[in-house]
Amino acid sequence: PFSSKVELALRLKGVPYDYIEEDLNNKSSLLLQYNPVYKKVPVLLHNGKSITESIIILEYIEETWKAYPILPQDPNDKAMARFWVNFIDGKCSSAIRKVAFSPEEEREKAVEEACECLKTLESALNGKKFFGGDTIGMVDIVALFIAFWLRPFQEIKGLELLSSEKFPNLFKWTDDFVSCSIVTELLPPRDKLVAHIKAHLSK
Amino acid sequence: MEDEVVLLDFWPSSFAMRVKIALGEKGIKYKCKQEDLFNKSTLLLEMNPIHKKIPVLIHNGKPISESLIILQYIDQVWNRKSPLLPSDPYQRSQALFWADYIDKKIYGIGRRVWMGKEDQEEAKEELMQCLKTLERELGDKLYFGGQNIGVVDVALVPFTTWFYSYETCGNFSIEAGCPKLVAWAKRCKENYRSVSEALPHPLQIYEYVMELKKRLGL
């Protein structure tokens, strides 16, 4: 899920790239060399230089390849976009993860917190097609897991976090985003995703 | 039209100090408004409704929050002097990586050190590891930004006013483990007025920590 953000940005900008799969239980010497501090994926290697941490990689990609800008130019709008990126990557992401992994007793509270985050995103979307406006922006890219993973996840768990009644704009956004050809090309088919989620949750 | 710049501040906050240093470096005039974090003002709640945290920079009525986002905003808008970030995308990404590293580690680990609970020893170890990593990154450079201070220096130097509190609460010496880093902090304060003006005296921070511990019942 984390690497997809980077791949999506590269594809939107038409940047050709090689994808190297890492076995996180048996990290390659390449990974340890290029990300000595965190030893994690994703790592972008550009002409031999490494950039790590997905948000930082996205910012680097934006500055290096000018086609298809994913951040606004205006300083205020840019700061706002960065704020949402930070919110989704931070508070939102951990709230939703808590729902997935919290014990039964804490489930209700976790769901409440996650819904608060979704409510905030609903109002941030503010009638636009994407967070980036008419086109996909960095905020959309960072929210990919919500668009793609949340609905199958909540079905499997029998929970209702994101519904068209509660958050109509956000719900529509998930459909619009996932149906973009560039996104469909990138993501695994739904049944494979469902199997992956089930396996991950049972660990 | 005159620019109106307001900073919602809390004087012991390292994050707010970052913004003050940046504003000072760029020579920006601003109004500083102290917040009481136990009794947040309606302005703060209005300007940062989602996180309700400081610092918040209000530029001509529009709020920007999250200190690193504020620093990038300041660098973009007031771009004629004292650049905080390198212009080369790769150098930029490296600077942002280290600023992000500081964000992820220092505040949280430092907090565990001064709070002095069961995990204090572990926190002390972790803190020294992080500071040593940063010291290695500094290497033989004068500043993280090279010949002049940059975003990494601005991100880290405020935490150095907290070193005395970490050391006293944890009964250890940061200078003994990271002499180059301590020397770097002195250099920043001596050569940059924006730094010496933004950082309160370590003893003031210590007093604040003691009061806070009492308040938290520690």
Side-chain angles (χ1 to χ4, degrees):
Chain A
F2 291 117
S3 303
S4 309
K5 288 185 276 209
V6 174
E7 286 188 88
L8 182 53
L10 291 169
R11 286 178 186 224
L12 284 167
K13 287 175 176 277
V15 180
Y17 63 96
D18 286 325
Y19 177 84
I20 300 176
E21 183 84 31
E22 277 289 328
D23 175 2
L24 296 180
N25 293 311
N26 186 15
K27 295 174 182 179
S28 72
S29 52
L30 205 67
L31 174 59
L32 299 175
Q33 180 192 348
Y34 285 115
N35 191 358
V37 176
Y38 297 115
K39 306 177 176 55
K40 288 206 238 156
V41 288
V43 178
L44 184 75
L45 289 175
H46 183 212
N47 297 334
K49 298 200 251 191
S50 69
I51 302 107
T52 61
E53 294 301 291
S54 32
I55 308 299
I56 294 179
I57 297 174
L58 292 179
E59 292 260 3
Y60 175 79
I61 290 172
E62 171 67 352
E63 280 160 28
T64 308
W65 291 282
K66 300 297 181 181
Y68 200 102
I70 53 178
L71 275 178
Q73 283 291 60
D74 170 76
N76 243 294
D77 295 337
K78 203 178 228 181
M80 206 63 237
R82 285 186 171 136
F83 174 85
W84 290 121
V85 165
N86 181 281
F87 174 75
I88 291 166
D89 198 51
K91 203 170 189 179
C92 219
S93 185
S94 61
I96 292 175
R97 217 172 319 160
K98 249 193 241 166
V99 174
F101 297 112
S102 59
E104 204 63 53
E105 326 83 67
E106 293 171 26
R107 180 74 49 75
E108 208 185 304
K109 181 160 182 265
V111 169
E112 226 180 87
E113 276 182 42
C115 283
E116 271 304 312
C117 288
L118 295 177
K119 188 164 164 217
T120 304
L121 289 183
E122 172 78 8
S123 60
L125 203 49
N126 200 20
K128 299 190 299 249
K129 185 173 185 199
F130 298 111
F131 288 98
D134 292 322
T135 54
I136 296 171
M138 200 186 281
V139 183
D140 302 276
I141 295 174
V142 168
L144 182 61
F145 74 99
I146 296 175
F148 173 59
W149 176 96
L150 188 58
R151 279 161 65 181
F153 164 75
Q154 64 186 17
E155 265 175 52
I156 295 171
K157 285 290 239 181
L159 291 169
E160 198 192 74
L161 294 163
L162 176 59
S163 70
S164 55
E165 296 83 43
K166 277 203 286 189
F167 308 118
N169 288 329
L170 197 62
F171 193 83
K172 182 166 187 297
W173 167 82
T174 63
D175 280 333
D176 285 340
F177 193 19
V178 166
S179 62
C180 288
S181 59
I182 214 164
V183 178
T184 343
E185 276 166 21
L186 184 61
L187 300 173
R190 203 178 186 278
D191 48 0
K192 199 169 174 212
L193 173 68
V194 169
H196 174 88
I197 294 176
K198 283 191 171 145
H200 200 52
L201 288 175
S202 64
K203 270 200 219 132
Chain B
M1 195 190 88
E2 263 258 343
D3 263 335
E4 213 221 338
V5 183
V6 177
L7 174 66
L8 300 185
D9 180 32
F10 180 57
W11 69 268
S13 161
S14 301
F15 301 102
M17 288 177 219
R18 292 171 170 180
V19 182
K20 283 186 265 199
I21 296 171
L23 292 169
E25 277 303 289
K26 303 273 185 180
I28 301 163
K29 285 205 188 76
Y30 65 100
K31 250 191 285 227
C32 197
K33 210 189 151 287
Q34 283 303 314
E35 283 289 329
D36 174 1
L37 298 185
F38 289 101
N39 187 14
K40 296 175 182 179
S41 72
T42 35
L43 182 64
L44 173 57
L45 299 175
E46 192 190 310
M47 292 285 133
N48 190 0
I50 292 165
H51 300 297
K52 305 177 177 58
K53 286 199 202 155
I54 57 94
V56 180
L57 187 75
I58 310 173
H59 183 205
N60 295 330
K62 296 202 197 143
I64 302 110
S65 44
E66 295 302 306
S67 58
L68 290 185
I69 295 178
I70 297 173
L71 293 184
Q72 287 176 270
Y73 176 84
I74 290 174
D75 209 38
Q76 189 186 355
V77 174
W78 290 278
N79 56 9
R80 255 167 277 167
K81 72 185 271 225
S82 307
L84 295 172
L85 282 153
S87 45
D88 170 69
Y90 178 70
Q91 304 289 358
R92 255 178 119 84
S93 73
Q94 297 311 291
L96 288 172
F97 173 86
W98 287 110
D100 176 68
Y101 176 83
I102 293 161
D103 257 10
K104 281 185 170 61
K105 305 276 185 182
I106 310 291
Y107 175 79
I109 301 174
R111 194 182 160 87
R112 283 157 56 209
V113 171
W114 65 253
M115 282 193 118
K117 293 187 177 156
E118 326 76 50
D119 61 350
Q120 192 188 49
E121 282 310 308
E122 195 187 297
K124 278 158 65 176
E125 263 287 336
E126 283 178 45
L127 184 65
M128 288 316 293
Q129 290 273 29
C130 289
L131 294 179
K132 285 201 170 96
T133 301
L134 288 165
E135 200 179 54
R136 264 196 305 273
E137 176 55 28
L138 178 65
D140 292 317
K141 302 196 294 282
L142 278 179
Y143 306 102
F144 287 91
Q147 292 292 99
N148 299 301
I149 59 171
V151 70
V152 183
D153 304 90
V154 176
L156 184 58
V157 82
F159 288 104
T160 63
T161 40
W162 283 73
F163 281 4
Y164 177 77
S165 301
Y166 299 153
E167 289 170 315
T168 313
C169 293
N171 193 24
F172 69 120
S173 163
I174 292 178
E175 181 156 17
C178 295
K180 278 184 163 180
L181 203 65
V182 173
W184 156 83
K186 274 201 190 99
R187 212 165 26 241
C188 290
K189 281 184 287 202
E190 279 166 12
N191 297 331
Y192 286 87
R193 195 154 71 145
S194 58
V195 175
S196 58
E197 284 180 353
L199 266 48
H201 194 281
L203 287 176
Q204 290 177 292
I205 297 286
Y206 182 67
E207 234 177 81
Y208 164 73
V209 172
M210 289 295 107
E211 260 177 57
L212 188 57
K213 282 179 83 158
K214 227 188 285 170
R215 201 162 187 171
L216 297 171
L218 294 167

